[in-house]
Amino acid sequence: RTLLKRLGGEAALEAAVDIFYEKLMADADLSPFFQGRDMDQLKHHQRQFMTIAFTKIPESLDVGKFMFEKHEKLFLMGLNELHFDAVAGHFIATLNGMGVEQKLIDEAVGIIAPLRPIFEQGAANAKKHEEEKKEEDEQQAHLLERIGGESALKAAVNEFYT
């Protein structure tokens, strides 16, 4: 039997995701990542992901790449491995609160925990991107200063177009 069936099947998964998202939204460190998002759609995607994770992950699915791509914008907003840890904690608390046996919780965590390095790498990539953007912005600012500032740029544009 799959882990999903041993956890209680689809009905238990649906209830768990609802409770899990209540916990995520109540967490002041995590809730900003959900602002403006369609929560029903996110819950649907979470159920799909957990169904795959707790049954059989298709060989054709690169889970790491999938998770990175789905969270890329969030990494740019500051999502990192500490947020992953908080999410995992809420997941464990959800299962505990539903009375799930510890050995099943441990098995579920064993499936989810290996995803943590994706959040470390995603945060590192976002930080590097931010540093590169800052450097690029500084270079552009220096160019503007070298040509005499904004007033010189406006004068050159006026001269060019008149």
Side-chain angles (χ1 to χ4, degrees), residues 11-24:
L13 178 63
E14 186 158 340
V17 168
D18 287 341
I19 295 166
F20 178 53
Y21 270 78
E22 286 176 17
K23 292 180 182 304
L24 296 178

Side-chain angles (χ1 to χ4, degrees), residues 2-156:
T2 66
L3 176 58
L4 179 60
K5 286 185 181 181
R6 289 180 283 134
L7 287 168
E10 295 292 331
L13 178 63
E14 186 158 340
V17 168
D18 287 341
I19 295 166
F20 178 53
Y21 270 78
E22 286 176 17
K23 292 180 182 304
L24 296 178
M25 293 303 297
D27 187 319
D29 291 331
L30 298 174
S31 62
F33 295 108
F34 297 97
Q35 290 178 350
R37 309 273 190 243
D38 180 340
M39 294 308 293
D40 289 333
Q41 184 180 39
L42 285 177
K43 287 179 184 182
H44 174 74
H45 290 157
Q46 186 68 55
R47 286 184 194 102
Q48 286 180 320
F49 177 75
M50 287 184 171
T51 297
I52 291 169
F54 298 153
T55 55
K56 180 166 173 48
I57 298 172
E59 289 182 24
S60 62
L61 178 62
D62 182 339
V63 176
K65 181 179 177 186
F66 175 80
M67 291 297 288
F68 180 81
E69 289 173 355
K70 293 297 178 185
H71 293 85
E72 193 166 13
K73 289 180 184 175
L74 300 177
F75 293 134
L76 294 172
M77 292 173 57
L79 186 72
N80 61 43
E81 68 276 9
L82 299 178
H83 296 109
F84 177 89
D85 295 343
V87 169
H90 290 306
F91 177 66
I92 293 166
T94 297
L95 296 180
N96 275 322
M98 293 179 70
V100 174
E101 295 177 47
Q102 188 61 48
K103 68 180 183 175
L104 295 178
I105 294 173
D106 292 345
E107 189 175 341
V109 169
I111 292 168
I112 302 298
L115 300 174
R116 188 179 193 275
I118 295 162
F119 290 78
E120 292 173 359
Q121 188 60 52
N125 291 353
K127 183 177 180 183
K128 182 179 176 186
H129 174 77
E130 189 174 305
E131 289 169 356
E132 289 170 351
K133 186 176 182 326
K134 183 179 177 184
E135 186 177 309
E136 185 179 302
D137 289 347
E138 288 173 358
Q139 288 175 352
Q140 288 178 353
H142 292 307
L143 175 61
L144 186 60
E145 290 171 11
R146 288 196 311 253
I147 64 169
E150 197 166 325
S151 60
L153 177 62
K154 286 180 182 178

